[in-house]
Amino acid sequence: MKFFADTAEIADIKELAATGLLDGVTTNPSLIMKSGRDFMEVTREICGIVDGPVSAEVVALDHAGMMREAEVLRKIADNVCIKVPLTIDGLQTCKALTSDGTMVNVTLCFSANQALLAAKAGATFVSPFVGRHDDNGFDGMELISDIRLIYDNYDFETEILVASVRHGLHVLQAAKIGADVMTAPPAVIKGLVKHVLTDKGIEGFMADWAKTGQSI
Ligand code: E4P
């Protein structure tokens, strides 16, 4: 499963990229606002740090406007992935852009039927928001299972990008279902490595090693 960082914070992206475990980045207008940075400038900087896809979201709501914005965004770098909302205009834009070889992430997916439409529109990625789905009394992971089943039934190549990931259990469940990608805040990604028994084990080994008086 590929790991994308869901952030526009450069320091966090650099830290994760240095581990060699980061496959891409997703941003959205709220994350850009949180970063306090200029959209174009920060997107260019992120694209220079990671080789994989960097999602940059259009803010126009009509097809013509989305195409105009996508034209600007895709000039930033070769690894820009245009993010469009799951609306009719978004799907129309997705079809036009992917037919032209541009990567597209169809975002704000909350139903399996929406995901089916994104695949038919040739999306590179579809982003079902599991956390927000759970928050509203639905089962986010059931949605991922349904999309996996549908995509496998028809050999759709659209990658399932599990978004709105809140904790390690979301990552684990998404991996068990066979989602292609997950995007999570840096803190969640870094938290995956933590285990109390790992920490305890290191502590014990270090203490015993010190008693040997040796060095490597
Ligand atoms: C995905 O691309 C979105 O940016 C993101 O995962 C939304 O997550 P949130 O529900 O935590 O805002």
Side-chain angles (χ1 to χ4, degrees), residues 6 26-28 31 83 107 127 129 132 163-166 183:
D6 198 26
T26 50
T27 66
N28 63 39
L31 293 170
K83 208 173 180 190
T107 191
S127 290
F129 279 35
R132 293 191 197 187
S164 190
V165 164
R166 301 272 162 79
T183 189

Side-chain angles (χ1 to χ4, degrees), residues 38-110:
D38 174 79
F39 181 30
M40 298 293 287
E41 190 186 285
V42 77
T43 305
R44 189 172 298 111
E45 200 172 336
I46 297 169
C47 288
I49 299 168
V50 297
D51 293 332
V54 175
S55 290
E57 190 159 344
V58 297
V59 288
L61 297 177
D62 63 300
H63 171 58
M66 287 182 195
M67 288 301 289
R68 207 170 42 247
E69 291 178 358
E71 210 39 61
V72 175
L73 295 174
R74 67 176 171 183
K75 283 194 188 115
I76 294 177
D78 288 345
N79 55 337
V80 164
C81 175
I82 307 298
K83 208 173 180 190
V84 299
L86 215 156
T87 59
I88 285 293
D89 289 73
L91 293 171
Q92 192 182 348
T93 304
C94 173
K95 186 80 188 167
L97 291 172
T98 52
S99 306
D100 203 21
T102 301
M103 286 188 287
V104 177
N105 175 358
V106 179
T107 191
L108 290 167
C109 172
F110 290 94

